[in-house]
DNA sequence: ATGAAAGCGCTAACAA
DNA sequence: TTGTTAGCGCTTTCAT
């Protein structure tokens, strides 16, 4: 429509001020008179001016973008609906602040190397790392050593690392789940946990054990924990293990909805009904929970809020603040896999 | 590690040439001697130099980034596993070319406006638009009018629009599905189609009708088409409609795996077995297909290839080539929902 | 409160 | 084949 894109120069000319003044106005700095501000505002509207982010980045030394880094073994993570939920939340939040991002996936070792090099080259101001399925400390260390502001969506295994993190109250969520199962009449509860390693797995296991200890008849609930890798098929396998070892199980706390779907499949194969014979409670409240048959009672993770805090944290760190950890609450969502 | 990031200047100094020569080398241009090239290469390695993309963007007038634009009504699309698959493929492909992208979602009208304004402001070199669930011609027209290079992941409803597109052979895929159902012994085939509007829905319906016409006993197969919106619950509803209208159905071609999952749920509710009573074939080969119980026979969409072509196309258009349409083949994947 | 001027790191004529 | 030069659009001292 306009022959050429408007620059700060055009705005300055039309507003009858210098470029420096426009710049000050743009960046909300002091020393811009009411008059000047009004004129500039009008000029901006008239021209439809939008600052050129590259020119700005060049002079400020800030990229104006961050990386969303995915440590994804076995192509598993893209099948994990949680990932999409978090990505979406982060994208929303970033969009609101006008910072763009690049999505990097890390399938193998060599790719991890390439990614690290890219990030170290200063292409982005910071990184949001998600690695729910496996350990990621190597990448994390590389990032920290390069001095790149970083936040992660779990508790760091090494708490002394200067990275921000946000996660949900895993322990509390697990408690909530197990208590509800008990309220619904389950007497002999088992757990399908995620892969050992990430803090979330550990905390949820503690939540399960502590809760079950308060009302269980026997004392070795630990033997009723099986591990999966968050895939549906691993949930199937875990459920089979659990049942083979202890046929009296009448309730299962599953650490992800996807695994819960797998568990239900195994149960159906064995002719067991959910929730009549065995009650199931999932975790995440991902899209899989509603799709499941029966729809899953589950513990909701507030992905929107997680994304918001992740971005918030990262921006703070980029601005020089100390990284902190943020723990968000979970919420019980009752559907039909419990009585 | 290095006090300051290396610039083209440092590389030039170390290599004993001018910055212009380094620039030429970097951009693979002619007129760089073997000698110079070798020296520059060494200097780059030594310094760990990586070009500053903002400086480059500033001078070339190219953003070096594109937008991945999602027209998503009802928060549906993020529940659609196809979206994640495509996003991933596009991200991979873009990453290989060193172009970053920003992910934009469009939940409502006002957001659509904001997005369009942002894009028109020249923040990106082009856009990849995905709107499988609803019509998106408004946004598309805005993009085209602003002269922004655009590709879409479907056939444009207005074929005269200068946008590139890549999609799968919907008609052929539908034929493949229906023929296979017939081969497996289905005599009375129905279809659950997607929402009316997008070209894919129309073409798959034609594929279904034409194929069924070649072997069906009656002639009003059109009455055995129900529409869903790609959600599992819509598949459930559609399946119920179909069965209520015609209990003799023994095979269903469902236009997405997610809807097929819903359809199976309805079938189970009615005490019908898959594939013994009714055979089901899905579309997409998304993660839902493997998770389903029974695992779904389906028509695979080559998302990786779609992503690659989308990016390819977009880059060509950005470089001034004429947009074209690309149609990719589908593939039958046999699992357990057919006999 | 405002403007002049000096770059940020890079590419692209144009000379040489 | 190579170097010189002039900006790209913006922010930021430093004067005023």
């Amino acid at each position: 429509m306009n022959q050429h894109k408007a620059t700060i120069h055009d705005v300055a000319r039309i507003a009858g001020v210098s470029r420096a003044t426009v710049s000050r106005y743009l960046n909300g700095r002091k020393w811009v008179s009411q008059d000047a501000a009004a004129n500039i505002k009008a000029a901006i509207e008239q021209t439809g001016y939008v600052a050129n982010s590259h020119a700005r980045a060049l002079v400020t030394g800030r990229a104006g973008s961050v990386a969303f880094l995915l440590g994804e073994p076995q192509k598993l993570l893209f099948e994990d609906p949680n990932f999409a939920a978090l990505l979406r939340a982060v994208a929303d939040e970033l969009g609101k602040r006008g910072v763009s991002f690049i999505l990097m996936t890390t399938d193998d070792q060599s790719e991890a190397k390439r990614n690290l090099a890219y990030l170290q080259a200063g292409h982005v101001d910071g990184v949001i790392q998600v690695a729910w399925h496996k350990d990621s400390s190597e990448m994390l260390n590389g990032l920290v050593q390069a001095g790149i502001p970083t936040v992660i969506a779990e508790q760091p295994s090494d708490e002394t690392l200067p990275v921000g993190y946000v996660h949900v109250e895993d322990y509390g969520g697990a408690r909530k789940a197990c208590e509800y199962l008990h309220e619904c009449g389950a007497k002999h509860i088992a757990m399908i946990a995620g892969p050992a390693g990430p803090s979330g797995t550990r905390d949820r296991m503690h939540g399960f054990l502590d809760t079950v200890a308060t009302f269980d008849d026997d004392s070795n609930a630990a033997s009723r924990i099986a591990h999966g890798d968050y895939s549906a098929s691993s949930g199937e396998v875990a459920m089979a293990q659990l049942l083979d070892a202890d046929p009296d199980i009448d309730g299962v706390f599953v650490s992800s909805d996807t695994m819960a779907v797998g568990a239900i499949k195994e149960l159906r194969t064995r002719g067991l009904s959910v929730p009549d014979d065995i009650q199931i409670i999932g975790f995440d409240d991902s899209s899989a929970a509603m799709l499941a048959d029966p729809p899953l009672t589950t513990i909701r993770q507030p992905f929107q809020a997680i994304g918001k805090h992740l971005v918030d944290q990262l921006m703070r760190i980029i601005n020089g603040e100390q990284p902190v950890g943020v723990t968000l609450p979970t919420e019980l969502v009752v559907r039909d896999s419990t009585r």
Side-chain angles (χ1 to χ4, degrees), chain A:
Chain A
M1 349 209 108
N2 292 320
Q3 28 261 51
H4 272 317
K5 215 162 296 286
T7 71
I8 198 172
H9 190 90
D10 301 318
V11 175
R13 193 169 30 75
I14 295 177
V17 298
S18 75
R19 284 175 280 139
T21 304
V22 177
S23 176
R24 269 179 231 120
Y25 171 86
L26 253 24
N27 295 288
R29 286 241 184 21
K30 281 277 146 208
W31 292 305
V32 178
S33 66
Q34 301 272 310
D35 258 23
N39 289 341
I40 293 170
K41 191 175 176 203
I44 287 177
E45 243 155 58
Q46 181 191 325
T47 55
Y49 169 79
V50 182
N52 178 319
S53 58
H54 300 292
R56 182 174 281 169
L58 181 56
V59 63
T60 60
R62 286 249 178 106
S65 69
V66 303
F68 190 100
L69 181 59
L70 213 49
E72 174 203 358
Q74 308 153 322
K75 319 237 168 201
L76 227 171
L77 207 38
F78 254 96
E79 292 171 12
D80 186 335
N82 293 337
F83 162 71
L86 183 62
L87 175 58
R88 192 246 164 81
V90 167
D92 274 6
E93 203 52 38
L94 249 16
K96 277 183 200 155
R97 298 166 188 250
V99 359
S100 62
F101 71 99
I102 95 161
L103 209 198
M104 308 183 83
T105 58
T106 309
D107 280 317
D108 53 46
Q109 208 56 29
S110 79
E111 206 167 28
K113 266 207 155 103
R114 273 202 295 129
N115 287 348
L116 190 54
Y118 181 89
L119 296 171
Q120 286 171 337
H123 282 278
V124 298
D125 295 329
V127 359
I128 296 173
Q129 181 178 264
V130 181
W132 288 329
H133 294 224
K134 75 157 179 189
D135 180 77
S136 60
S137 36
E138 198 172 331
M139 176 66 84
L140 206 53
N141 282 320
L143 258 16
V144 168
Q145 273 170 36
I148 302 170
T150 302
V151 295
I152 61 177
E154 64 179 318
Q155 265 187 68
S157 49
D158 175 359
E159 305 224 2
T160 66
L161 236 39
V163 301
Y165 62 94
V166 5
H167 67 144
V168 296
E169 210 211 353
D170 290 295
Y171 180 87
R175 285 207 75 113
K176 236 178 269 183
C178 297
E179 275 159 11
Y180 186 70
L181 238 25
H182 191 246
E183 273 173 38
C184 293
K187 304 270 184 236
H188 201 60
I189 304 176
M191 172 177 186
I192 297 179
S199 65
T201 299
R202 187 195 60 215
D203 293 345
R204 292 181 201 174
M205 283 169 59
H206 286 324
F208 163 76
L209 290 171
D210 290 357
T211 311
V212 164
T214 66
F215 48 69
D216 213 9
D217 41 358
D218 71 347
S219 54
N220 67 333
S223 69
R224 293 197 305 279
I225 297 182
H227 287 270
D229 64 4
Y230 288 130
S231 71
S233 57
S234 75
E236 227 174 308
V237 171
M239 190 70 246
Q241 287 171 354
L242 252 20
L243 246 25
D244 288 346
D246 187 341
D248 295 336
I249 289 166
D250 61 358
V252 187
F253 164 47
V254 189
S255 215
S256 89
D257 293 337
T258 311
M259 290 199 292
V261 168
I264 290 176
K265 192 165 173 182
E266 175 66 19
L267 257 18
R268 175 145 40 228
T269 302
R270 296 187 178 219
L272 261 18
S273 143
V274 176
D276 293 337
D277 298 321
I278 296 197
Q279 301 189 65
I280 298 279
I281 187 165
F283 207 98
D284 298 338
D285 195 24
S286 69
S287 52
M290 292 252 295
L291 294 187
D293 181 17
L296 251 33
T297 294
T298 190
I299 302 292
R300 173 177 298 160
Q301 292 210 52
F303 285 110
Q304 197 65 37
I306 294 175
K308 181 174 164 19
H309 280 94
L310 238 18
V311 171
D312 219 75
Q313 252 312 286
L314 184 56
M315 292 310 163
R316 284 184 202 289
I317 298 173
I318 290 173
N319 286 323
E321 290 187 30
Q322 281 297 314
V324 302
V326 176
T327 304
L328 266 19
T330 56
E331 183 192 348
L332 173 70
V333 178
V334 176
R335 297 207 184 85
D336 307 335
S337 64
T338 50
R339 275 191 294 247

